[in-house]
Amino acid sequence: MLAFLYFVQMLINLPKMLVLSWNNMIFPPSDSTQHFRISTVSPSLWMTSSDITTTYRTLNLSICHVAIQVATWRIDDVIVEGTKPCYRSTKAFPYLISRHTPNSALSFLSCSGSTVENSIISKNGQLEHLQRLITAHGAPPDLLFLTIGGNDIGFTDVISLIQRDSKISDKFDMRFFFVSHQIDRVAWKLKEMNISRVVLLDYYDVTKNEKGEVDGSCGAFGQVSLPNLQLADRKILQRLNSLLRRKAAEHRWITVDTTDIFRTRGICSSRSLIRSRNESMMLQGNEYGSFHPNEEAHRLIAERIVKTLEL
């Protein structure tokens, strides 16, 4: 089973927003009577709960890698709602960019497995959270990073289908039409929120080996034949990136091309930038991190964005 991250990030120059750094060795409470301690990047900024309530109108906490669906957390007199684990990381490119950019603050709203319908524009979804942040601080973000379309097109279905059927392109025509519409819906919402500077990333190529050839010999794609994998690369991945670039042009978004970064560094490459299933199991205890860019890849993506935007 594959999971592909959807990112909605905003990089903004609002000094009152903080990036929280969680101790990943802390075990969160299993019932309402237990307590645990957290710390911020700059502990001196928040000494007591009153520092939070008197200074900030909106408090967003992300509790990740926890096997719960909904939890209520209380910080003295501050009640916080928590939802499913999202697998965010301080090694991800948005965080790296925020560290690189002086006087910036990051609101990291990405969540593994998100689609437009069930998370991005849904009730209490990512754009609603973003709107609350805008309302609280009185201005939209200066910059918003967006990756979209992978979960909506159904990459998991692609891998499953090409193991048994070579006629995949016809089966995905309607999905591409659907994804195009979903991207438009997000674009309309962002315009309503007066967010003018949006950076759209293309999708990384997981199929190429160190020679730049489509390669499934490492077994990462299961029983997919080489011709079918080549077809998936050509008819699904490349087609999706073409759609994303076209939509970016329509909505006047900035595009960041990462094609050359992954051209010889797919999952079966000897210099892979893609997390394998075994690596995901070792690092986070499940397979949901597989087929995602690894730490080095996120660093290279961050460097590419910084160069493209001249940050």
Tab-separated table of all heavy atoms in Angstrom, residues 191-228:
chain	number	residue	atom	x	y	z
A	191	LYS	N	-7.990	32.154	-3.981
A	191	LYS	CA	-8.275	33.510	-4.452
A	191	LYS	C	-9.227	34.223	-3.511
A	191	LYS	O	-9.067	35.412	-3.224
A	191	LYS	CB	-8.861	33.460	-5.860
A	191	LYS	CG	-7.844	33.082	-6.934
A	191	LYS	CD	-8.486	32.970	-8.314
A	191	LYS	CE	-7.462	32.555	-9.362
A	191	LYS	NZ	-8.074	32.366	-10.700
A	192	GLU	N	-10.220	33.505	-3.004
A	192	GLU	CA	-11.146	34.086	-2.035
A	192	GLU	C	-10.418	34.512	-0.759
A	192	GLU	O	-10.820	35.457	-0.093
A	192	GLU	CB	-12.240	33.073	-1.683
A	192	GLU	CG	-13.229	32.808	-2.806
A	192	GLU	CD	-14.228	31.716	-2.442
A	192	GLU	OE1	-14.118	31.173	-1.320
A	192	GLU	OE2	-15.099	31.406	-3.266
A	193	MET	N	-9.340	33.809	-0.432
A	193	MET	CA	-8.566	34.103	0.771
A	193	MET	C	-7.467	35.132	0.504
A	193	MET	O	-6.659	35.414	1.383
A	193	MET	CB	-7.968	32.804	1.313
A	193	MET	CG	-9.019	31.781	1.704
A	193	MET	SD	-8.381	30.087	1.838
A	193	MET	CE	-7.454	30.183	3.346
A	194	ASN	N	-7.443	35.678	-0.729
A	194	ASN	CA	-6.471	36.707	-1.120
A	194	ASN	C	-5.025	36.222	-1.028
A	194	ASN	O	-4.113	36.992	-0.682
A	194	ASN	CB	-6.654	37.977	-0.272
A	194	ASN	CG	-7.971	38.654	-0.550
A	194	ASN	OD1	-8.400	38.766	-1.694
A	194	ASN	ND2	-8.644	39.096	0.504
A	195	ILE	N	-4.806	34.950	-1.324
A	195	ILE	CA	-3.454	34.403	-1.358
A	195	ILE	C	-2.974	34.460	-2.804
A	195	ILE	O	-3.457	33.724	-3.659
A	195	ILE	CB	-3.425	32.957	-0.833
A	195	ILE	CG1	-3.905	32.930	0.626
A	195	ILE	CG2	-2.026	32.358	-0.952
A	195	ILE	CD1	-4.052	31.543	1.186
A	196	SER	N	-2.046	35.341	-3.067
A	196	SER	CA	-1.656	35.608	-4.455
A	196	SER	C	-0.392	34.873	-4.880
A	196	SER	O	-0.170	34.656	-6.076
A	196	SER	CB	-1.457	37.112	-4.659
A	196	SER	OG	-0.472	37.613	-3.761
A	197	ARG	N	0.441	34.501	-3.934
A	197	ARG	CA	1.722	33.872	-4.296
A	197	ARG	C	1.703	32.403	-3.865
A	197	ARG	O	1.907	32.074	-2.703
A	197	ARG	CB	2.888	34.608	-3.641
A	197	ARG	CG	4.227	34.357	-4.344
A	197	ARG	CD	5.328	35.164	-3.741
A	197	ARG	NE	6.569	34.987	-4.483
A	197	ARG	CZ	7.773	35.202	-3.961
A	197	ARG	NH1	7.893	35.597	-2.709
A	197	ARG	NH2	8.860	35.027	-4.690
A	198	VAL	N	1.472	31.541	-4.837
A	198	VAL	CA	1.381	30.104	-4.590
A	198	VAL	C	2.489	29.407	-5.369
A	198	VAL	O	2.694	29.682	-6.554
A	198	VAL	CB	0.013	29.537	-5.023
A	198	VAL	CG1	-0.047	28.030	-4.809
A	198	VAL	CG2	-1.106	30.242	-4.253
A	199	VAL	N	3.199	28.510	-4.698
A	199	VAL	CA	4.268	27.744	-5.335
A	199	VAL	C	3.818	26.297	-5.440
A	199	VAL	O	3.525	25.644	-4.432
A	199	VAL	CB	5.580	27.831	-4.535
A	199	VAL	CG1	6.652	26.964	-5.183
A	199	VAL	CG2	6.039	29.278	-4.431
A	200	LEU	N	3.756	25.795	-6.667
A	200	LEU	CA	3.304	24.430	-6.915
A	200	LEU	C	4.489	23.561	-7.311
A	200	LEU	O	5.230	23.888	-8.235
A	200	LEU	CB	2.254	24.420	-8.030
A	200	LEU	CG	1.655	23.056	-8.372
A	200	LEU	CD1	0.744	22.573	-7.247
A	200	LEU	CD2	0.889	23.116	-9.692
A	201	LEU	N	4.655	22.438	-6.612
A	201	LEU	CA	5.718	21.500	-6.941
A	201	LEU	C	5.192	20.384	-7.827
A	201	LEU	O	4.057	19.943	-7.663
A	201	LEU	CB	6.314	20.885	-5.670
A	201	LEU	CG	7.433	21.691	-5.002
A	201	LEU	CD1	6.865	22.930	-4.334
A	201	LEU	CD2	8.171	20.825	-3.994
A	202	ASP	N	6.034	19.926	-8.746
A	202	ASP	CA	5.639	18.777	-9.544
A	202	ASP	C	5.868	17.496	-8.738
A	202	ASP	O	6.391	17.532	-7.623
A	202	ASP	CB	6.397	18.742	-10.875
A	202	ASP	CG	7.909	18.722	-10.692
A	202	ASP	OD1	8.386	18.550	-9.548
A	202	ASP	OD2	8.628	18.886	-11.692
A	203	TYR	N	5.458	16.361	-9.302
A	203	TYR	CA	5.630	15.088	-8.605
A	203	TYR	C	6.946	14.436	-8.985
A	203	TYR	O	7.353	14.414	-10.150
A	203	TYR	CB	4.451	14.146	-8.883
A	203	TYR	CG	3.392	14.316	-7.828
A	203	TYR	CD1	2.381	15.257	-7.998
A	203	TYR	CD2	3.450	13.605	-6.643
A	203	TYR	CE1	1.435	15.460	-7.018
A	203	TYR	CE2	2.512	13.801	-5.653
A	203	TYR	CZ	1.496	14.729	-5.840
A	203	TYR	OH	0.584	14.946	-4.856
A	204	TYR	N	7.611	13.939	-7.981
A	204	TYR	CA	8.903	13.296	-8.153
A	204	TYR	C	8.744	11.945	-8.850
A	204	TYR	O	7.766	11.233	-8.686
A	204	TYR	CB	9.564	13.110	-6.784
A	204	TYR	CG	8.644	12.560	-5.724
A	204	TYR	CD1	8.514	11.195	-5.517
A	204	TYR	CD2	7.881	13.422	-4.930
A	204	TYR	CE1	7.657	10.683	-4.565
A	204	TYR	CE2	7.014	12.920	-3.965
A	204	TYR	CZ	6.911	11.556	-3.784
A	204	TYR	OH	6.047	11.056	-2.835
A	205	ASP	N	9.766	11.593	-9.634
A	205	ASP	CA	9.748	10.354	-10.405
A	205	ASP	C	10.392	9.243	-9.584
A	205	ASP	O	11.589	9.293	-9.287
A	205	ASP	CB	10.506	10.562	-11.708
A	205	ASP	CG	10.380	9.390	-12.670
A	205	ASP	OD1	9.922	8.320	-12.236
A	205	ASP	OD2	10.751	9.555	-13.845
A	206	VAL	N	9.617	8.228	-9.245
A	206	VAL	CA	10.131	7.118	-8.434
A	206	VAL	C	10.632	5.960	-9.289
A	206	VAL	O	11.153	4.976	-8.759
A	206	VAL	CB	9.042	6.588	-7.469
A	206	VAL	CG1	8.559	7.687	-6.551
A	206	VAL	CG2	7.871	5.967	-8.239
A	207	THR	N	10.498	6.044	-10.608
A	207	THR	CA	10.692	4.870	-11.463
A	207	THR	C	12.104	4.709	-12.026
A	207	THR	O	12.450	3.635	-12.502
A	207	THR	CB	9.726	4.910	-12.659
A	207	THR	OG1	10.087	6.008	-13.534
A	207	THR	CG2	8.286	5.087	-12.198
A	208	LYS	N	12.952	5.742	-12.003
A	208	LYS	CA	14.216	5.703	-12.729
A	208	LYS	C	15.381	5.172	-11.886
A	208	LYS	O	15.506	5.495	-10.700
A	208	LYS	CB	14.571	7.102	-13.241
A	208	LYS	CG	13.526	7.753	-14.135
A	208	LYS	CD	13.280	6.966	-15.398
A	208	LYS	CE	12.526	7.786	-16.440
A	208	LYS	NZ	11.231	8.291	-15.968
A	209	ASN	N	16.249	4.390	-12.525
A	209	ASN	CA	17.462	3.922	-11.859
A	209	ASN	C	18.609	4.895	-12.116
A	209	ASN	O	18.412	5.974	-12.697
A	209	ASN	CB	17.821	2.506	-12.309
A	209	ASN	CG	18.118	2.414	-13.809
A	209	ASN	OD1	18.393	3.416	-14.472
A	209	ASN	ND2	18.067	1.201	-14.338
A	210	GLU	N	19.830	4.508	-11.705
A	210	GLU	CA	20.973	5.412	-11.830
A	210	GLU	C	21.351	5.713	-13.276
A	210	GLU	O	22.098	6.652	-13.549
A	210	GLU	CB	22.183	4.837	-11.084
A	210	GLU	CG	22.729	3.522	-11.627
A	210	GLU	CD	21.964	2.312	-11.122
A	210	GLU	OE1	20.931	2.484	-10.422
A	210	GLU	OE2	22.398	1.183	-11.404
A	211	LYS	N	20.829	4.943	-14.224
A	211	LYS	CA	21.070	5.197	-15.643
A	211	LYS	C	19.967	6.041	-16.280
A	211	LYS	O	20.001	6.306	-17.487
A	211	LYS	CB	21.191	3.876	-16.391
A	211	LYS	CG	22.363	3.010	-15.940
A	211	LYS	CD	22.383	1.699	-16.709
A	211	LYS	CE	23.537	0.817	-16.245
A	211	LYS	NZ	23.552	-0.488	-16.977
A	212	GLY	N	18.989	6.430	-15.482
A	212	GLY	CA	17.872	7.204	-16.009
A	212	GLY	C	16.837	6.358	-16.723
A	212	GLY	O	16.011	6.880	-17.476
A	213	GLU	N	16.862	5.040	-16.474
A	213	GLU	CA	15.932	4.118	-17.118
A	213	GLU	C	14.858	3.671	-16.138
A	213	GLU	O	15.131	3.492	-14.939
A	213	GLU	CB	16.688	2.893	-17.636
A	213	GLU	CG	17.785	3.224	-18.639
A	213	GLU	CD	18.687	2.040	-18.912
A	213	GLU	OE1	18.649	1.068	-18.109
A	213	GLU	OE2	19.431	2.070	-19.911
A	214	VAL	N	13.632	3.477	-16.632
A	214	VAL	CA	12.565	2.920	-15.794
A	214	VAL	C	12.988	1.526	-15.334
A	214	VAL	O	13.391	0.692	-16.145
A	214	VAL	CB	11.234	2.858	-16.560
A	214	VAL	CG1	10.164	2.157	-15.721
A	214	VAL	CG2	10.770	4.262	-16.940
A	215	ASP	N	12.900	1.294	-14.030
A	215	ASP	CA	13.447	0.059	-13.470
A	215	ASP	C	12.619	-0.386	-12.262
A	215	ASP	O	12.460	0.369	-11.316
A	215	ASP	CB	14.902	0.291	-13.061
A	215	ASP	CG	15.614	-0.977	-12.608
A	215	ASP	OD1	14.962	-2.043	-12.550
A	215	ASP	OD2	16.821	-0.898	-12.317
A	216	GLY	N	12.115	-1.601	-12.316
A	216	GLY	CA	11.393	-2.167	-11.181
A	216	GLY	C	12.053	-3.409	-10.639
A	216	GLY	O	11.444	-4.178	-9.897
A	217	SER	N	13.331	-3.625	-10.990
A	217	SER	CA	14.015	-4.878	-10.653
A	217	SER	C	14.278	-5.059	-9.166
A	217	SER	O	14.541	-6.171	-8.711
A	217	SER	CB	15.344	-4.966	-11.406
A	217	SER	OG	16.217	-3.906	-11.022
A	218	CYS	N	14.189	-3.979	-8.394
A	218	CYS	CA	14.445	-4.103	-6.953
A	218	CYS	C	13.254	-4.679	-6.202
A	218	CYS	O	13.351	-4.945	-4.996
A	218	CYS	CB	14.819	-2.752	-6.363
A	218	CYS	SG	13.521	-1.486	-6.483
A	219	GLY	N	12.138	-4.875	-6.867
A	219	GLY	CA	10.973	-5.491	-6.245
A	219	GLY	C	10.047	-4.528	-5.538
A	219	GLY	O	9.025	-4.947	-4.977
A	220	ALA	N	10.374	-3.237	-5.556
A	220	ALA	CA	9.556	-2.262	-4.834
A	220	ALA	C	8.153	-2.139	-5.396
A	220	ALA	O	7.210	-1.775	-4.675
A	220	ALA	CB	10.231	-0.897	-4.850
A	221	PHE	N	7.986	-2.449	-6.690
A	221	PHE	CA	6.684	-2.311	-7.343
A	221	PHE	C	5.915	-3.633	-7.407
A	221	PHE	O	4.937	-3.755	-8.143
A	221	PHE	CB	6.865	-1.776	-8.766
A	221	PHE	CG	7.491	-0.410	-8.820
A	221	PHE	CD1	8.854	-0.279	-9.044
A	221	PHE	CD2	6.727	0.730	-8.630
A	221	PHE	CE1	9.443	0.973	-9.096
A	221	PHE	CE2	7.307	1.981	-8.680
A	221	PHE	CZ	8.675	2.109	-8.908
A	222	GLY	N	6.346	-4.613	-6.641
A	222	GLY	CA	5.650	-5.893	-6.641
A	222	GLY	C	5.865	-6.646	-7.944
A	222	GLY	O	6.970	-6.713	-8.470
A	223	GLN	N	4.792	-7.173	-8.500
A	223	GLN	CA	4.871	-8.000	-9.699
A	223	GLN	C	4.630	-7.219	-10.986
A	223	GLN	O	4.277	-7.785	-12.008
A	223	GLN	CB	3.825	-9.133	-9.595
A	223	GLN	CG	4.011	-10.047	-8.399
A	223	GLN	CD	5.373	-10.713	-8.403
A	223	GLN	OE1	5.807	-11.240	-9.427
A	223	GLN	NE2	6.040	-10.703	-7.261
A	224	VAL	N	4.855	-5.904	-10.937
A	224	VAL	CA	4.644	-5.075	-12.118
A	224	VAL	C	5.706	-5.391	-13.165
A	224	VAL	O	6.908	-5.402	-12.878
A	224	VAL	CB	4.704	-3.576	-11.758
A	224	VAL	CG1	4.538	-2.717	-13.000
A	224	VAL	CG2	3.627	-3.239	-10.743
A	225	SER	N	5.277	-5.635	-14.406
A	225	SER	CA	6.224	-5.880	-15.495
A	225	SER	C	6.865	-4.570	-15.925
A	225	SER	O	6.315	-3.481	-15.703
A	225	SER	CB	5.517	-6.520	-16.690
A	225	SER	OG	4.608	-5.595	-17.279
A	226	LEU	N	8.037	-4.662	-16.535
A	226	LEU	CA	8.734	-3.462	-16.993
A	226	LEU	C	7.914	-2.676	-18.010
A	226	LEU	O	7.805	-1.441	-17.890
A	226	LEU	CB	10.098	-3.837	-17.574
A	226	LEU	CG	10.943	-2.664	-18.098
A	226	LEU	CD1	11.192	-1.642	-17.001
A	226	LEU	CD2	12.258	-3.182	-18.675
A	227	PRO	N	7.301	-3.313	-19.029
A	227	PRO	CA	6.469	-2.541	-19.961
A	227	PRO	C	5.323	-1.800	-19.278
A	227	PRO	O	5.008	-0.654	-19.643
A	227	PRO	CB	5.940	-3.604	-20.935
A	227	PRO	CG	6.960	-4.700	-20.885
A	227	PRO	CD	7.418	-4.726	-19.464
A	228	ASN	N	4.703	-2.432	-18.293
A	228	ASN	CA	3.609	-1.768	-17.580
A	228	ASN	C	4.115	-0.599	-16.742
A	228	ASN	O	3.449	0.438	-16.624
A	228	ASN	CB	2.870	-2.769	-16.698
A	228	ASN	CG	1.869	-3.594	-17.469
A	228	ASN	OD1	1.824	-3.535	-18.699
A	228	ASN	ND2	1.061	-4.371	-16.767
